[in-house]
Amino acid sequence: MYFDTHCHLNFKNFDRKLDEVINRSRENGVNKIVIPGTDVPTSNKAVAIADKYKGVYAAVGIHPHHVFELFKARERNFFAPAGIQSDLIQIESFLKHPKVVAVGEVGIDRHIYQKTKYPDYKIEEEFVKLQKIVLIEQIKLAHKYKKALIFHNREAKKDFLDILTTHYALLSMYSSVFHCCEPDLELLQFAKNHKMFIGVDGDIVYYKKKQEFIKTVPLEMLVLETDSPFLNPEPQKSKENGMKNEPKNIPFIAKFIAKLIDCSIDKLSKQTTENARTLFNV
Ligand SMILES: [Zn+2]
Ligand SMILES: [Zn+2]
C-alpha cells in the first residue's frame, strides 16, 4: 500500500477525470491521497473531492504564492476590510470537516515563477512580510484544530526557519512535513530536531543533488508525494504524450528511491505509508 501525501487533484487538469485518475492510482496500490489547497477555492474543492472518495483526504490553506492576490488587493485599497481576514475565516470553516487532516500548503516562497497567473508578479519585501503574517495565522489555526501542517518553502529557508523557530511551541504537538523538501542539510537538521517529516517527489529521478540529499534522510522521516500535476518523474515521456503527473506514479518514485538508498521496495512502501499515517493521523 502506498500513500501520496501531496497531490493536487483539485486543480483544473483533473476536472472530469477524477474517477479514472483515482481508479488508476488504486490499481497501482496508491490507496491513500492527501489533496492540499492553495487558496480558498482550491481548498473548498479539496474538501469536496475528499468528501466523495474513500481514502482521499484534504488539507486546506493559502499558499505563499497566492498571498500575492491578497497583497495586490491591499495595495489597491489599503483601507478596505482585509481580504486576508475573510480568507482565513473560510479556511477555518473548512477545518471542521472530518476529512480535513491538515493545514496546507502554507509557507514562504521567494521563487520568481515564469508561469503564473499574476502578470506583475515580483518578490518585494512587503509581499514577503504579508506571506509571513498569513503563515503565522495558519500555524495558529492548525494548533487550534489539532491538525498537521504541510509546509511549502521555496528559496526562502531563512525566513521560513525563523518563523518555525519562533512559533515552535504552537506546532510542537502536531506533525508537520517539509513538502518537496529542498536538498539542504540545515532543513534536514531542523526537521530532525523537531520530529518533522520530509516529502520527496518525482524530481528525485533527475535531480542529482536531491538524490544525494535523500540518502542522508532517515527512512523514518520520509514520506512520498507526487505534487501532481507537477513534477512528473518521467518529464520526457510526459512531453511526448501530453501526460501530466498523477498519483499512480508513486510506486515508480518508490522503486527509484528504494534502489537509490539500497532498501527493499517492501520495506520502503511500508515505512513511508506508516510515516504518512502518523503525519496525518489517519
Ligand atoms: Zn508546494
Ligand atoms: Zn503542492
Side-chain angles (χ1 to χ4, degrees), residues 6 63 105 152 179 227:
H6 194 112
H63 187 293
E105 51 183 302
H152 169 105
H179 123 76
D227 209 1

Side-chain angles (χ1 to χ4, degrees), residues 23-47:
N23 278 339
R24 266 201 296 275
S25 88
R26 286 176 182 154
E27 281 161 16
N28 285 276
V30 185
N31 294 314
K32 296 218 180 289
I33 295 171
V34 168
I35 310 173
T38 52
D39 56 12
V40 170
T42 56
S43 295
N44 191 16
K45 208 161 153 190
V47 177

Side-chain angles (χ1 to χ4, degrees), residues 7-272:
C7 163
H8 295 288
L9 294 182
N10 47 348
F11 284 7
K12 274 201 293 294
N13 311 59
F14 295 111
D15 282 356
R16 293 179 302 278
K17 289 187 205 147
L18 284 172
D19 280 347
E20 50 171 299
V21 168
I22 290 171
N23 278 339
R24 266 201 296 275
S25 88
R26 286 176 182 154
E27 281 161 16
N28 285 276
V30 185
N31 294 314
K32 296 218 180 289
I33 295 171
V34 168
I35 310 173
T38 52
D39 56 12
V40 170
T42 56
S43 295
N44 191 16
K45 208 161 153 190
V47 177
I49 298 168
D51 200 34
K52 191 172 164 201
Y53 295 94
K54 196 170 172 274
V56 178
Y57 303 89
V60 295
I62 303 162
H63 187 293
H65 180 63
H66 296 297
V67 170
F68 196 70
E69 203 161 310
L70 300 168
F71 177 62
K72 282 282 137 183
R74 199 160 90 160
E75 224 178 34
R76 277 194 300 272
N77 185 357
F78 194 80
F79 297 104
I84 303 163
Q85 216 50 38
S86 82
D87 275 15
L88 289 171
I89 289 169
Q90 301 244 43
I91 295 294
E92 177 162 8
S93 73
F94 300 145
L95 281 165
K96 294 168 184 152
H97 191 284
K99 286 196 92 182
V100 174
V101 293
V103 170
E105 51 183 302
V106 299
I108 308 286
D109 192 326
R110 285 181 173 274
H111 183 70
I112 316 257
Y113 289 89
Q114 296 303 322
K115 258 172 112 183
T116 165
K117 66 175 182 174
Y118 309 112
D120 50 350
Y121 194 75
K122 55 177 184 285
I123 304 291
E124 293 168 49
E125 285 317 302
E126 280 301 308
F127 169 39
V128 176
K129 223 188 231 173
L130 192 62
Q131 290 188 19
K132 290 181 183 175
I133 292 170
V134 175
L135 170 60
I136 292 166
E137 289 308 313
Q138 295 185 100
I139 291 174
K140 288 181 188 163
L141 280 180
H143 179 76
K144 182 172 172 188
Y145 288 88
K146 302 182 168 57
K147 300 292 179 190
L149 274 153
I150 299 172
F151 286 122
H152 169 105
N153 154 56
R154 193 158 178 193
E155 297 161 28
K157 179 177 74 173
K158 196 186 166 308
D159 310 272
F160 177 61
L161 290 186
D162 277 355
I163 288 187
L164 295 201
T165 306
T166 47
H167 292 81
Y168 185 65
L170 286 178
L171 49 107
S172 59
M173 276 173 276
Y174 312 104
S175 302
S176 51
V177 58
F178 287 169
H179 123 76
C180 197
C181 191
E182 291 179 335
D184 184 293
L185 293 177
E186 197 184 340
L187 287 172
L188 176 61
Q189 192 55 48
F190 190 94
K192 275 184 184 167
N193 293 349
H194 299 86
K195 295 192 169 31
M196 292 168 158
F197 292 96
I198 300 284
V200 60
D201 302 71
D203 59 347
I204 184 87
V205 170
Y206 50 82
Y207 191 171
K208 295 271 181 278
K209 200 172 165 199
K210 224 173 225 192
Q211 293 171 4
E212 292 315 305
F213 175 69
I214 289 304
K215 287 182 194 166
T216 66
V217 178
L219 191 53
E220 294 68 35
M221 291 177 73
L222 213 57
V223 294
L224 305 178
E225 54 180 70
T226 57
D227 209 1
S228 305
F230 312 113
L231 300 178
N232 195 304
E234 297 174 280
Q236 212 40 49
K237 212 165 147 186
S238 82
K239 234 178 243 168
E240 283 159 18
N241 58 17
M243 273 266 293
K244 295 276 196 246
N245 200 7
E246 54 177 84
K248 76 162 170 66
N249 290 331
I250 284 280
F252 180 88
I253 299 169
K255 269 173 213 143
F256 184 89
I257 297 171
K259 204 169 162 203
L260 183 74
I261 64 171
D262 196 20
C263 157
S264 77
I265 184 70
D266 242 33
K267 189 176 169 195
L268 186 101
S269 73
K270 254 194 206 117
Q271 186 67 52
T272 52

